């Protein structure tokens, strides 16, 4: 079954380029396009695609607001949003992640990594590996004072440890190796964290780890 994709970008050339790249492989299908956020939301509600590639900056309803409308729609829980941006330091990207986006891509991404990224998000993972994602989150969340957020009070000590590792961008296998757990056990902990913290996906867990001060700017990570 093909991954069904909707493109939302106000530039015709960008949409045409993405469409050409994404229809190269038979397991990917662009099922719709929109040139602004408002019409994009309407289209997504009608088509219910697996993945939406959403431009951050658009006139009228921008990508952040459109993402909020999509991720808050109970009928679109299976739809994942990936933000598209020209700048890796775009200050709106953190707001988009908080709104429920599963990650973001630069518009100059190469064809192979673009297709792989769409498949990754469609499979339920978040696009958190690039170091630029860490810079975006750190820049927006660095000012959050530790110890003032109560969202972690319901977590056990082990759940906090897992969240801290997830917050640094580590995969389940990396978390398992660090905490001496099995990957299956880590997946169970991640599922509990999503439920307890009312987080849409792994990307929101990363944001929350920074916002609550559980992960700080000086904390190391295992990959770039």
């Amino acid at each position: 079954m093909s991954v069904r994709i909707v493109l939302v970008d106000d530039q015709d050339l960008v949409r045409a380029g993405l469409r050409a790249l994404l229809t190269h492989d038979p397991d990917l299908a662009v099922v719709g396009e929109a040139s602004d956020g408002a019409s994009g939301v309407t289209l997504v509600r009608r088509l219910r695609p697996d993945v939406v590639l959403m431009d951050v900056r658009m006139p009228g309803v921008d990508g952040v607001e459109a993402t909020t409308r999509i991720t808050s729609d109970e009928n679109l829980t299976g739809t994942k949003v990936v933000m598209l941006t020209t700048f890796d330091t775009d200050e709106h990207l953190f707001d988009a992640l908080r709104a429920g986006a599963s990650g973001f891509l630069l518009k100059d991404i190469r064809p192979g990594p673009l297709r792989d990224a769409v498949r990754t998000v469609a499979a339920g993972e978040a696009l958190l590996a690039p170091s630029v994602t860490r810079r975006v989150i750190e820049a927006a969340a660095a000012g959050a004072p530790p110890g003032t957020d109560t969202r972690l009070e319901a977590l056990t000590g082990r759940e906090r440890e897992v969240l801290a590792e997830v917050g640094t961008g580590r995969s389940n296998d990396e978390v398992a190796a660090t905490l001496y757990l099995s990957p299956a056990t880590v997946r169970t902990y991640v599922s509990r964290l999503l439920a307890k913290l009312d987080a849409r996906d792994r990307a929101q867990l990363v944001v929350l780890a920074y916002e609550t001060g559980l992960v700080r700017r000086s904390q190391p990570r295992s990959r770039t």
Side-chain angles (χ1 to χ4, degrees), residues 2-176:
S2 296
V3 176
R4 302 171 69 252
I5 307 160
V6 163
L7 308 176
V8 184
D9 195 293
D10 62 334
Q11 298 183 42
D12 294 343
L13 186 59
V14 171
R15 296 199 312 275
L18 290 171
R19 182 174 64 250
L21 294 176
L22 291 168
T23 55
H24 179 273
D25 291 357
D27 64 325
L28 303 176
V30 176
V31 297
E33 299 179 27
S35 60
D36 61 81
S39 60
V41 173
T42 299
L43 186 64
V44 169
R45 285 172 174 164
R46 177 165 62 85
L47 297 177
R48 299 188 185 183
D50 301 301
V51 177
V52 180
L53 296 184
M54 177 82 69
D55 189 20
V56 174
R57 298 172 179 265
M58 292 181 288
V61 176
D62 65 11
V64 175
E65 175 59 27
T67 297
T68 300
R69 296 182 188 182
I70 291 170
T71 59
S72 62
D73 190 326
E74 294 181 353
N75 295 318
L76 297 174
T77 55
T79 297
K80 305 298 183 183
V81 180
V82 177
M83 309 308 296
L84 295 172
T85 181
T86 306
F87 307 105
D88 61 5
T89 56
D90 193 326
E91 67 273 14
H92 297 295
L93 292 175
F94 183 73
D95 292 332
L97 293 175
R98 292 182 65 185
S102 294
F104 68 89
L105 297 171
L106 296 178
K107 290 185 179 180
D108 62 356
I109 187 173
R110 296 178 63 85
L114 170 65
R115 293 191 284 266
D116 289 343
V118 170
R119 295 186 185 101
T120 295
V121 172
E125 295 295 327
L127 296 176
L128 302 173
S131 58
V132 63
T133 303
R134 179 178 174 88
R135 292 201 302 272
V136 169
I137 295 175
E138 284 184 342
T148 61
D149 198 303
T150 62
R151 284 176 289 179
L152 303 185
E153 291 181 353
L155 302 185
T156 65
R158 197 54 149 174
E159 287 169 343
R160 288 185 182 225
E161 289 178 340
V162 172
L163 178 58
E165 295 299 323
V166 170
T168 62
R170 292 186 172 97
S171 67
N172 285 347
D173 288 344
E174 291 172 330
V175 175

